Structure formats: structure tokens, C-alpha cells
Short mmCIF file of all heavy atoms in Angstrom, two decimals:
data_model
loop_
_atom_site.label_atom_id
_atom_site.label_comp_id
_atom_site.label_asym_id
_atom_site.label_seq_id
_atom_site.Cartn_x
_atom_site.Cartn_y
_atom_site.Cartn_z
N MET Y 1 -23.24 -22.39 -48.95
CA MET Y 1 -22.58 -23.69 -48.90
C MET Y 1 -21.16 -23.61 -49.44
O MET Y 1 -20.21 -24.00 -48.79
CB MET Y 1 -23.39 -24.71 -49.71
CG MET Y 1 -22.65 -26.04 -49.92
SD MET Y 1 -22.23 -26.86 -48.35
CE MET Y 1 -21.12 -28.13 -48.96
N LEU Y 2 -21.02 -23.05 -50.61
CA LEU Y 2 -19.73 -23.14 -51.28
C LEU Y 2 -18.63 -22.42 -50.51
O LEU Y 2 -17.48 -22.84 -50.55
CB LEU Y 2 -19.84 -22.56 -52.70
CG LEU Y 2 -20.82 -23.28 -53.60
CD1 LEU Y 2 -20.79 -22.69 -54.99
CD2 LEU Y 2 -20.55 -24.77 -53.66
N GLU Y 3 -18.99 -21.39 -49.81
CA GLU Y 3 -17.99 -20.64 -49.06
C GLU Y 3 -18.28 -20.72 -47.57
O GLU Y 3 -17.97 -19.82 -46.82
CB GLU Y 3 -17.97 -19.18 -49.54
CG GLU Y 3 -17.77 -19.03 -51.04
CD GLU Y 3 -16.47 -19.64 -51.53
OE1 GLU Y 3 -15.52 -19.73 -50.73
OE2 GLU Y 3 -16.42 -20.03 -52.70
N SER Y 4 -18.84 -21.80 -47.13
CA SER Y 4 -19.29 -21.92 -45.74
C SER Y 4 -18.14 -22.24 -44.80
O SER Y 4 -18.34 -22.34 -43.60
CB SER Y 4 -20.34 -23.00 -45.62
OG SER Y 4 -19.78 -24.26 -45.93
N GLY Y 5 -16.96 -22.43 -45.33
CA GLY Y 5 -15.84 -22.77 -44.47
C GLY Y 5 -15.52 -24.25 -44.47
O GLY Y 5 -14.47 -24.66 -44.01
N ARG Y 6 -16.46 -25.02 -44.97
CA ARG Y 6 -16.19 -26.46 -45.07
C ARG Y 6 -15.22 -26.68 -46.22
O ARG Y 6 -15.47 -26.23 -47.34
CB ARG Y 6 -17.50 -27.19 -45.32
CG ARG Y 6 -17.34 -28.69 -45.50
CD ARG Y 6 -18.68 -29.39 -45.57
NE ARG Y 6 -19.42 -29.20 -44.32
CZ ARG Y 6 -20.49 -29.94 -43.99
NH1 ARG Y 6 -20.94 -30.84 -44.81
NH2 ARG Y 6 -21.11 -29.72 -42.86
N PRO Y 7 -14.12 -27.37 -45.99
CA PRO Y 7 -13.16 -27.56 -47.07
C PRO Y 7 -13.78 -28.33 -48.23
O PRO Y 7 -14.49 -29.31 -48.01
CB PRO Y 7 -12.02 -28.34 -46.42
CG PRO Y 7 -12.52 -28.81 -45.11
CD PRO Y 7 -13.67 -27.97 -44.72
N ALA Y 8 -13.51 -27.88 -49.43
CA ALA Y 8 -14.04 -28.54 -50.61
C ALA Y 8 -13.19 -29.75 -50.93
O ALA Y 8 -12.08 -29.65 -51.43
CB ALA Y 8 -14.04 -27.56 -51.78
N MET Y 9 -13.73 -30.92 -50.58
CA MET Y 9 -13.00 -32.16 -50.81
C MET Y 9 -14.01 -33.28 -50.99
O MET Y 9 -14.97 -33.38 -50.23
CB MET Y 9 -12.10 -32.46 -49.62
CG MET Y 9 -11.25 -33.71 -49.79
SD MET Y 9 -10.13 -33.97 -48.39
CE MET Y 9 -11.27 -34.50 -47.13
N CYS Y 10 -13.79 -34.10 -51.97
CA CYS Y 10 -14.71 -35.19 -52.22
C CYS Y 10 -14.78 -36.11 -50.99
O CYS Y 10 -13.76 -36.57 -50.50
CB CYS Y 10 -14.28 -35.99 -53.45
SG CYS Y 10 -15.36 -37.40 -53.77
N LYS Y 11 -16.01 -36.37 -50.57
CA LYS Y 11 -16.22 -37.22 -49.39
C LYS Y 11 -15.67 -38.63 -49.59
O LYS Y 11 -15.22 -39.26 -48.63
CB LYS Y 11 -17.73 -37.29 -49.12
CG LYS Y 11 -18.18 -38.26 -48.07
CD LYS Y 11 -18.05 -37.67 -46.70
CE LYS Y 11 -18.71 -38.60 -45.67
NZ LYS Y 11 -18.50 -38.09 -44.31
N LEU Y 12 -15.67 -39.10 -50.79
CA LEU Y 12 -15.29 -40.49 -51.03
C LEU Y 12 -13.82 -40.64 -51.40
O LEU Y 12 -13.11 -41.45 -50.82
CB LEU Y 12 -16.16 -41.10 -52.12
CG LEU Y 12 -17.62 -41.33 -51.74
CD1 LEU Y 12 -18.39 -41.91 -52.92
CD2 LEU Y 12 -17.73 -42.24 -50.54
N CYS Y 13 -13.34 -39.90 -52.37
CA CYS Y 13 -11.97 -40.13 -52.86
C CYS Y 13 -11.01 -39.03 -52.43
O CYS Y 13 -9.83 -39.10 -52.77
CB CYS Y 13 -11.98 -40.29 -54.38
SG CYS Y 13 -12.30 -38.76 -55.27
N LYS Y 14 -11.52 -38.01 -51.71
CA LYS Y 14 -10.69 -36.95 -51.12
C LYS Y 14 -10.06 -36.02 -52.17
O LYS Y 14 -9.15 -35.27 -51.86
CB LYS Y 14 -9.56 -37.54 -50.25
CG LYS Y 14 -10.01 -38.62 -49.29
CD LYS Y 14 -11.11 -38.14 -48.36
CE LYS Y 14 -11.45 -39.23 -47.33
NZ LYS Y 14 -12.68 -38.92 -46.59
N LYS Y 15 -10.58 -36.09 -53.39
CA LYS Y 15 -10.09 -35.17 -54.41
C LYS Y 15 -10.44 -33.74 -54.01
O LYS Y 15 -11.50 -33.47 -53.47
CB LYS Y 15 -10.75 -35.52 -55.75
CG LYS Y 15 -10.09 -34.87 -56.95
CD LYS Y 15 -10.93 -35.11 -58.21
CE LYS Y 15 -11.07 -36.59 -58.53
NZ LYS Y 15 -9.79 -37.16 -59.02
N LYS Y 16 -9.54 -32.81 -54.29
CA LYS Y 16 -9.74 -31.42 -53.87
C LYS Y 16 -9.86 -30.46 -55.05
O LYS Y 16 -9.84 -29.24 -54.86
CB LYS Y 16 -8.58 -30.97 -52.97
CG LYS Y 16 -8.58 -31.66 -51.62
CD LYS Y 16 -7.43 -31.16 -50.76
CE LYS Y 16 -7.46 -31.84 -49.38
NZ LYS Y 16 -6.30 -31.42 -48.57
N ASP Y 17 -9.98 -30.98 -56.23
CA ASP Y 17 -10.07 -30.12 -57.42
C ASP Y 17 -11.47 -29.52 -57.53
O ASP Y 17 -12.44 -30.21 -57.85
CB ASP Y 17 -9.75 -30.97 -58.65
CG ASP Y 17 -9.65 -30.12 -59.91
OD1 ASP Y 17 -10.10 -28.95 -59.90
OD2 ASP Y 17 -9.10 -30.64 -60.90
N ARG Y 18 -11.58 -28.23 -57.24
CA ARG Y 18 -12.89 -27.59 -57.22
C ARG Y 18 -13.61 -27.67 -58.56
O ARG Y 18 -14.83 -27.57 -58.62
CB ARG Y 18 -12.74 -26.11 -56.81
CG ARG Y 18 -12.53 -25.91 -55.33
CD ARG Y 18 -13.80 -26.23 -54.55
NE ARG Y 18 -14.86 -25.28 -54.82
CZ ARG Y 18 -15.09 -24.18 -54.11
NH1 ARG Y 18 -14.35 -23.88 -53.09
NH2 ARG Y 18 -16.10 -23.38 -54.42
N ARG Y 19 -12.86 -27.83 -59.63
CA ARG Y 19 -13.51 -27.88 -60.96
C ARG Y 19 -14.38 -29.11 -61.13
O ARG Y 19 -15.27 -29.13 -61.97
CB ARG Y 19 -12.43 -27.85 -62.06
CG ARG Y 19 -11.71 -26.51 -62.13
CD ARG Y 19 -10.52 -26.61 -63.07
NE ARG Y 19 -9.55 -27.60 -62.59
CZ ARG Y 19 -8.43 -27.93 -63.23
NH1 ARG Y 19 -8.14 -27.35 -64.37
NH2 ARG Y 19 -7.61 -28.82 -62.72
N VAL Y 20 -14.11 -30.16 -60.35
CA VAL Y 20 -14.90 -31.38 -60.51
C VAL Y 20 -15.79 -31.65 -59.29
O VAL Y 20 -16.50 -32.65 -59.26
CB VAL Y 20 -14.01 -32.61 -60.77
CG1 VAL Y 20 -13.21 -32.40 -62.05
CG2 VAL Y 20 -13.10 -32.90 -59.60
N LEU Y 21 -15.75 -30.76 -58.30
CA LEU Y 21 -16.53 -30.99 -57.09
C LEU Y 21 -17.95 -30.45 -57.25
O LEU Y 21 -18.17 -29.37 -57.80
CB LEU Y 21 -15.85 -30.35 -55.89
CG LEU Y 21 -14.58 -31.06 -55.44
CD1 LEU Y 21 -13.87 -30.23 -54.38
CD2 LEU Y 21 -14.87 -32.46 -54.93
N GLN Y 22 -18.90 -31.24 -56.74
CA GLN Y 22 -20.30 -30.86 -56.79
C GLN Y 22 -20.91 -31.05 -55.41
O GLN Y 22 -20.42 -31.83 -54.61
CB GLN Y 22 -21.05 -31.74 -57.80
CG GLN Y 22 -20.43 -31.70 -59.19
CD GLN Y 22 -21.09 -32.66 -60.15
OE1 GLN Y 22 -21.67 -33.67 -59.75
NE2 GLN Y 22 -21.00 -32.36 -61.43
N VAL Y 23 -22.00 -30.34 -55.16
CA VAL Y 23 -22.70 -30.50 -53.89
C VAL Y 23 -23.73 -31.61 -54.03
O VAL Y 23 -24.54 -31.62 -54.97
CB VAL Y 23 -23.41 -29.19 -53.49
CG1 VAL Y 23 -24.27 -29.41 -52.24
CG2 VAL Y 23 -22.37 -28.11 -53.23
N HIS Y 24 -23.68 -32.54 -53.12
CA HIS Y 24 -24.67 -33.63 -53.08
C HIS Y 24 -25.58 -33.45 -51.87
O HIS Y 24 -25.11 -33.12 -50.79
CB HIS Y 24 -23.96 -34.98 -53.01
CG HIS Y 24 -24.88 -36.13 -52.78
ND1 HIS Y 24 -25.82 -36.53 -53.72
CD2 HIS Y 24 -25.04 -36.96 -51.72
CE1 HIS Y 24 -26.49 -37.57 -53.23
NE2 HIS Y 24 -26.04 -37.84 -52.03
N HIS Y 25 -26.88 -33.66 -52.09
CA HIS Y 25 -27.86 -33.57 -51.01
C HIS Y 25 -28.13 -34.98 -50.50
O HIS Y 25 -28.67 -35.82 -51.22
CB HIS Y 25 -29.16 -32.94 -51.52
CG HIS Y 25 -28.97 -31.56 -52.08
ND1 HIS Y 25 -29.35 -30.43 -51.40
CD2 HIS Y 25 -28.41 -31.13 -53.24
CE1 HIS Y 25 -29.05 -29.36 -52.12
NE2 HIS Y 25 -28.47 -29.76 -53.25
N LYS Y 26 -27.74 -35.23 -49.28
CA LYS Y 26 -27.81 -36.59 -48.76
C LYS Y 26 -29.21 -37.16 -48.75
O LYS Y 26 -29.41 -38.36 -48.94
CB LYS Y 26 -27.23 -36.64 -47.33
CG LYS Y 26 -25.71 -36.56 -47.33
CD LYS Y 26 -25.13 -37.03 -46.00
CE LYS Y 26 -25.13 -35.92 -44.96
NZ LYS Y 26 -24.43 -36.33 -43.73
N ASP Y 27 -30.21 -36.34 -48.51
CA ASP Y 27 -31.58 -36.85 -48.45
C ASP Y 27 -32.26 -36.87 -49.82
O ASP Y 27 -33.41 -37.24 -49.94
CB ASP Y 27 -32.41 -36.06 -47.44
CG ASP Y 27 -32.69 -34.63 -47.89
OD1 ASP Y 27 -32.16 -34.22 -48.94
OD2 ASP Y 27 -33.44 -33.94 -47.19
N GLY Y 28 -31.51 -36.46 -50.85
CA GLY Y 28 -32.08 -36.48 -52.20
C GLY Y 28 -32.97 -35.29 -52.50
O GLY Y 28 -33.47 -35.16 -53.62
N ASN Y 29 -33.17 -34.42 -51.52
CA ASN Y 29 -34.01 -33.23 -51.71
C ASN Y 29 -33.12 -32.04 -52.05
O ASN Y 29 -32.44 -31.49 -51.18
CB ASN Y 29 -34.81 -32.97 -50.42
CG ASN Y 29 -35.65 -31.71 -50.52
OD1 ASN Y 29 -35.68 -31.06 -51.55
ND2 ASN Y 29 -36.33 -31.38 -49.45
N ASP Y 30 -33.13 -31.64 -53.29
CA ASP Y 30 -32.22 -30.56 -53.70
C ASP Y 30 -32.68 -29.18 -53.26
O ASP Y 30 -32.07 -28.18 -53.60
CB ASP Y 30 -31.92 -30.63 -55.20
CG ASP Y 30 -33.15 -30.38 -56.05
OD1 ASP Y 30 -34.21 -29.98 -55.51
OD2 ASP Y 30 -33.05 -30.58 -57.27
N GLN Y 31 -33.77 -29.14 -52.50
CA GLN Y 31 -34.18 -27.87 -51.89
C GLN Y 31 -33.69 -27.76 -50.45
O GLN Y 31 -33.83 -26.71 -49.82
CB GLN Y 31 -35.71 -27.76 -51.90
CG GLN Y 31 -36.32 -27.88 -53.29
CD GLN Y 31 -35.79 -26.83 -54.24
OE1 GLN Y 31 -35.81 -25.64 -53.91
NE2 GLN Y 31 -35.32 -27.25 -55.40
N ASN Y 32 -33.17 -28.85 -49.93
CA ASN Y 32 -32.73 -28.87 -48.53
C ASN Y 32 -31.28 -28.46 -48.44
O ASN Y 32 -30.38 -29.26 -48.71
CB ASN Y 32 -32.94 -30.27 -47.94
CG ASN Y 32 -32.53 -30.34 -46.48
OD1 ASN Y 32 -32.01 -29.38 -45.93
ND2 ASN Y 32 -32.76 -31.48 -45.86
N TYR Y 33 -31.05 -27.20 -48.06
CA TYR Y 33 -29.69 -26.69 -47.96
C TYR Y 33 -29.18 -26.65 -46.53
O TYR Y 33 -28.27 -25.91 -46.19
CB TYR Y 33 -29.59 -25.31 -48.63
CG TYR Y 33 -29.43 -25.43 -50.13
CD1 TYR Y 33 -30.54 -25.50 -50.96
CD2 TYR Y 33 -28.16 -25.49 -50.69
CE1 TYR Y 33 -30.39 -25.64 -52.33
CE2 TYR Y 33 -28.00 -25.62 -52.05
CZ TYR Y 33 -29.13 -25.69 -52.87
OH TYR Y 33 -28.98 -25.81 -54.22
N GLU Y 34 -29.79 -27.46 -45.67
CA GLU Y 34 -29.23 -27.61 -44.32
C GLU Y 34 -27.80 -28.13 -44.45
O GLU Y 34 -27.53 -29.03 -45.25
CB GLU Y 34 -30.06 -28.61 -43.50
CG GLU Y 34 -31.45 -28.11 -43.13
CD GLU Y 34 -31.37 -26.95 -42.15
OE1 GLU Y 34 -30.45 -26.95 -41.30
OE2 GLU Y 34 -32.22 -26.05 -42.24
N ILE Y 35 -26.91 -27.58 -43.65
CA ILE Y 35 -25.50 -27.92 -43.81
C ILE Y 35 -25.25 -29.41 -43.64
O ILE Y 35 -24.40 -30.00 -44.31
CB ILE Y 35 -24.63 -27.07 -42.83
CG1 ILE Y 35 -23.16 -27.16 -43.21
CG2 ILE Y 35 -24.84 -27.49 -41.38
CD1 ILE Y 35 -22.80 -26.43 -44.49
N ASP Y 36 -26.01 -30.03 -42.76
CA ASP Y 36 -25.81 -31.47 -42.53
C ASP Y 36 -26.31 -32.32 -43.69
O ASP Y 36 -26.01 -33.51 -43.76
CB ASP Y 36 -26.55 -31.91 -41.25
CG ASP Y 36 -25.85 -31.42 -40.00
OD1 ASP Y 36 -24.67 -31.04 -40.09
OD2 ASP Y 36 -26.50 -31.41 -38.94
N ASN Y 37 -27.07 -31.70 -44.58
CA ASN Y 37 -27.59 -32.45 -45.73
C ASN Y 37 -26.68 -32.35 -46.94
O ASN Y 37 -26.91 -33.00 -47.95
CB ASN Y 37 -28.98 -31.92 -46.09
CG ASN Y 37 -29.66 -32.81 -47.11
OD1 ASN Y 37 -29.66 -34.03 -46.99
ND2 ASN Y 37 -30.21 -32.21 -48.15
N LEU Y 38 -25.65 -31.52 -46.85
CA LEU Y 38 -24.81 -31.24 -48.01
C LEU Y 38 -23.42 -31.84 -47.85
O LEU Y 38 -22.81 -31.72 -46.79
CB LEU Y 38 -24.67 -29.73 -48.20
CG LEU Y 38 -25.97 -28.96 -48.35
CD1 LEU Y 38 -25.69 -27.47 -48.39
CD2 LEU Y 38 -26.73 -29.40 -49.59
N ILE Y 39 -22.96 -32.49 -48.88
CA ILE Y 39 -21.58 -32.97 -48.87
C ILE Y 39 -20.97 -32.73 -50.24
O ILE Y 39 -21.68 -32.63 -51.25
CB ILE Y 39 -21.48 -34.47 -48.51
CG1 ILE Y 39 -22.26 -35.31 -49.51
CG2 ILE Y 39 -21.92 -34.73 -47.09
CD1 ILE Y 39 -22.03 -36.79 -49.32
N TRP Y 40 -19.67 -32.67 -50.26
CA TRP Y 40 -18.95 -32.53 -51.53
C TRP Y 40 -18.70 -33.91 -52.13
O TRP Y 40 -18.30 -34.84 -51.44
CB TRP Y 40 -17.59 -31.87 -51.30
CG TRP Y 40 -17.64 -30.43 -50.99
CD1 TRP Y 40 -17.41 -29.84 -49.79
CD2 TRP Y 40 -17.90 -29.35 -51.90
NE1 TRP Y 40 -17.52 -28.47 -49.90
CE2 TRP Y 40 -17.82 -28.15 -51.18
CE3 TRP Y 40 -18.21 -29.29 -53.27
CZ2 TRP Y 40 -18.03 -26.90 -51.76
CZ3 TRP Y 40 -18.40 -28.05 -53.86
CH2 TRP Y 40 -18.31 -26.88 -53.11
N LEU Y 41 -18.92 -33.99 -53.42
CA LEU Y 41 -18.53 -35.18 -54.18
C LEU Y 41 -17.96 -34.72 -55.51
O LEU Y 41 -18.45 -33.75 -56.10
CB LEU Y 41 -19.74 -36.08 -54.44
CG LEU Y 41 -20.34 -36.83 -53.24
CD1 LEU Y 41 -21.63 -37.52 -53.67
CD2 LEU Y 41 -19.36 -37.82 -52.67
N CYS Y 42 -16.93 -35.42 -55.99
CA CYS Y 42 -16.46 -35.13 -57.34
C CYS Y 42 -17.43 -35.76 -58.34
O CYS Y 42 -18.28 -36.57 -57.98
CB CYS Y 42 -15.04 -35.64 -57.54
SG CYS Y 42 -14.91 -37.43 -57.70
N VAL Y 43 -17.31 -35.42 -59.58
CA VAL Y 43 -18.28 -35.89 -60.57
C VAL Y 43 -18.31 -37.41 -60.64
O VAL Y 43 -19.37 -38.02 -60.80
CB VAL Y 43 -18.00 -35.30 -61.98
CG1 VAL Y 43 -18.33 -33.81 -61.99
CG2 VAL Y 43 -16.57 -35.53 -62.39
N ASN Y 44 -17.16 -38.04 -60.51
CA ASN Y 44 -17.12 -39.51 -60.58
C ASN Y 44 -17.86 -40.14 -59.41
O ASN Y 44 -18.71 -41.01 -59.59
CB ASN Y 44 -15.67 -40.00 -60.58
CG ASN Y 44 -14.98 -39.75 -61.90
OD1 ASN Y 44 -15.64 -39.64 -62.93
ND2 ASN Y 44 -13.67 -39.64 -61.87
N CYS Y 45 -17.53 -39.70 -58.21
CA CYS Y 45 -18.16 -40.28 -57.03
C CYS Y 45 -19.63 -39.91 -56.96
O CYS Y 45 -20.46 -40.70 -56.51
CB CYS Y 45 -17.42 -39.84 -55.77
SG CYS Y 45 -15.70 -40.43 -55.73
N HIS Y 46 -19.97 -38.72 -57.40
CA HIS Y 46 -21.36 -38.30 -57.41
C HIS Y 46 -22.19 -39.25 -58.29
O HIS Y 46 -23.27 -39.68 -57.92
CB HIS Y 46 -21.45 -36.86 -57.94
CG HIS Y 46 -22.69 -36.15 -57.50
ND1 HIS Y 46 -22.95 -34.85 -57.83
CD2 HIS Y 46 -23.75 -36.57 -56.78
CE1 HIS Y 46 -24.11 -34.49 -57.31
NE2 HIS Y 46 -24.63 -35.52 -56.67
N HIS Y 47 -21.63 -39.58 -59.41
CA HIS Y 47 -22.29 -40.53 -60.32
C HIS Y 47 -22.45 -41.89 -59.63
O HIS Y 47 -23.53 -42.51 -59.69
CB HIS Y 47 -21.48 -40.68 -61.60
CG HIS Y 47 -22.02 -41.72 -62.53
ND1 HIS Y 47 -23.10 -41.47 -63.36
CD2 HIS Y 47 -21.66 -43.00 -62.74
CE1 HIS Y 47 -23.37 -42.59 -64.05
NE2 HIS Y 47 -22.51 -43.52 -63.70
N LEU Y 48 -21.41 -42.35 -58.96
CA LEU Y 48 -21.48 -43.65 -58.28
C LEU Y 48 -22.57 -43.66 -57.22
O LEU Y 48 -23.32 -44.62 -57.10
CB LEU Y 48 -20.12 -43.97 -57.64
CG LEU Y 48 -18.97 -44.26 -58.58
CD1 LEU Y 48 -17.68 -44.46 -57.80
CD2 LEU Y 48 -19.27 -45.48 -59.44
N VAL Y 49 -22.63 -42.58 -56.44
CA VAL Y 49 -23.62 -42.52 -55.36
C VAL Y 49 -25.03 -42.60 -55.91
O VAL Y 49 -25.89 -43.28 -55.38
CB VAL Y 49 -23.41 -41.22 -54.55
CG1 VAL Y 49 -24.60 -40.95 -53.63
CG2 VAL Y 49 -22.13 -41.33 -53.72
N HIS Y 50 -25.27 -41.88 -57.01
CA HIS Y 50 -26.63 -41.84 -57.55
C HIS Y 50 -26.99 -43.08 -58.35
O HIS Y 50 -28.13 -43.52 -58.33
CB HIS Y 50 -26.80 -40.60 -58.43
CG HIS Y 50 -27.05 -39.36 -57.63
ND1 HIS Y 50 -28.31 -38.93 -57.30
CD2 HIS Y 50 -26.20 -38.48 -57.06
CE1 HIS Y 50 -28.23 -37.82 -56.58
NE2 HIS Y 50 -26.96 -37.52 -56.41
N CYS Y 51 -26.05 -43.64 -59.04
CA CYS Y 51 -26.37 -44.72 -59.97
C CYS Y 51 -26.07 -46.10 -59.42
O CYS Y 51 -26.59 -47.09 -59.92
CB CYS Y 51 -25.59 -44.53 -61.27
SG CYS Y 51 -26.04 -43.00 -62.10
N HIS Y 52 -25.23 -46.18 -58.39
CA HIS Y 52 -24.82 -47.49 -57.90
C HIS Y 52 -24.98 -47.65 -56.40
O HIS Y 52 -24.43 -48.57 -55.81
CB HIS Y 52 -23.35 -47.75 -58.28
CG HIS Y 52 -23.13 -47.73 -59.77
ND1 HIS Y 52 -23.50 -48.76 -60.60
CD2 HIS Y 52 -22.64 -46.75 -60.57
CE1 HIS Y 52 -23.21 -48.43 -61.85
NE2 HIS Y 52 -22.69 -47.23 -61.86
N ASP Y 53 -25.71 -46.72 -55.77
CA ASP Y 53 -25.99 -46.83 -54.34
C ASP Y 53 -24.75 -47.02 -53.48
O ASP Y 53 -24.73 -47.80 -52.53
CB ASP Y 53 -26.98 -47.96 -54.08
CG ASP Y 53 -28.37 -47.64 -54.60
OD1 ASP Y 53 -28.72 -46.44 -54.58
OD2 ASP Y 53 -29.08 -48.56 -55.00
N VAL Y 54 -23.67 -46.35 -53.85
CA VAL Y 54 -22.48 -46.39 -53.02
C VAL Y 54 -22.78 -45.71 -51.69
O VAL Y 54 -23.35 -44.63 -51.65
CB VAL Y 54 -21.30 -45.68 -53.73
CG1 VAL Y 54 -20.10 -45.55 -52.80
CG2 VAL Y 54 -20.92 -46.44 -54.98
N LEU Y 55 -22.39 -46.32 -50.62
CA LEU Y 55 -22.66 -45.77 -49.28
C LEU Y 55 -21.66 -44.66 -48.97
O LEU Y 55 -20.48 -44.77 -49.30
CB LEU Y 55 -22.58 -46.87 -48.23
CG LEU Y 55 -23.66 -47.95 -48.37
CD1 LEU Y 55 -23.45 -49.02 -47.32
CD2 LEU Y 55 -25.05 -47.35 -48.25
N LEU Y 56 -22.14 -43.66 -48.28
CA LEU Y 56 -21.30 -42.50 -48.00
C LEU Y 56 -20.65 -42.57 -46.63
O LEU Y 56 -19.78 -41.78 -46.33
CB LEU Y 56 -22.14 -41.23 -48.10
CG LEU Y 56 -22.60 -40.90 -49.52
CD1 LEU Y 56 -23.67 -39.84 -49.49
CD2 LEU Y 56 -21.42 -40.46 -50.35
N ASN Y 57 -21.06 -43.50 -45.79
CA ASN Y 57 -20.51 -43.52 -44.44
C ASN Y 57 -19.88 -44.85 -44.04
O ASN Y 57 -19.29 -45.53 -44.66
CB ASN Y 57 -21.60 -43.23 -43.42
CG ASN Y 57 -22.12 -41.84 -43.57
OD1 ASN Y 57 -21.36 -40.89 -43.61
ND2 ASN Y 57 -23.43 -41.73 -43.69
ZN1 ZN L 1 -14.56 -38.47 -55.60
ZN1 ZN L 2 -26.19 -35.91 -55.59
#
């Protein structure tokens, strides 16, 4: 995933700082590493998605 060629950029705020970017599993299953299930989120947006049901699309 990390070097899959997909640019590392937060899906929500477009931040590109790799130090704060994390992989989010869209279906909530952290064993599912299908490429379509993975998106980049920075720590702030990742928190929002999990705790406040922010929509990703
Ligand atoms: Zn973000
Ligand atoms: Zn997540």
C-alpha cells in the first residue's frame, strides 16, 4: 500500500505530509488490504472519520 504508486495525500484536506498520514480501511476491516478499501487520511481527518462519521465521498 504505502509504495503502491498512489500519491500519499489526505483524502479530505489534501495534506501531503507523510509524517501525519495514515491508512484508513473504508470498510472498517483492518485485515482488508484491497486497494479500493484503503485511503490516506491525516491524523486529524482520520479522527474525524472514526469519531464523527464524516463522509469520505
Ligand atoms: Zn486531513
Ligand atoms: Zn481508519
Side-chain angles (χ1 to χ4, degrees):
M1 170 60 192
L2 299 183
E3 306 301 334
S4 65
R6 178 173 298 195
M9 182 177 73
C10 178
K11 172 83 171 176
L12 290 179
C13 72
K14 313 303 185 191
K15 194 188 299 288
K16 291 181 179 176
D17 188 344
R18 282 290 293 268
R19 291 171 299 178
V20 300
L21 288 172
Q22 304 175 335
V23 174
H24 172 67
H25 300 256
K26 284 198 276 186
D27 69 355
N29 177 2
D30 65 9
Q31 304 301 309
N32 181 355
Y33 278 88
E34 290 293 325
I35 193 71
D36 287 342
N37 190 46
L38 303 174
I39 59 172
W40 287 108
L41 289 173
C42 73
V43 289
N44 286 336
C45 297
H46 203 178
H47 175 79
L48 291 176
V49 166
H50 280 269
C51 298
H52 300 284
D53 291 328
V54 173
L55 295 177
L56 292 167
N57 295 309

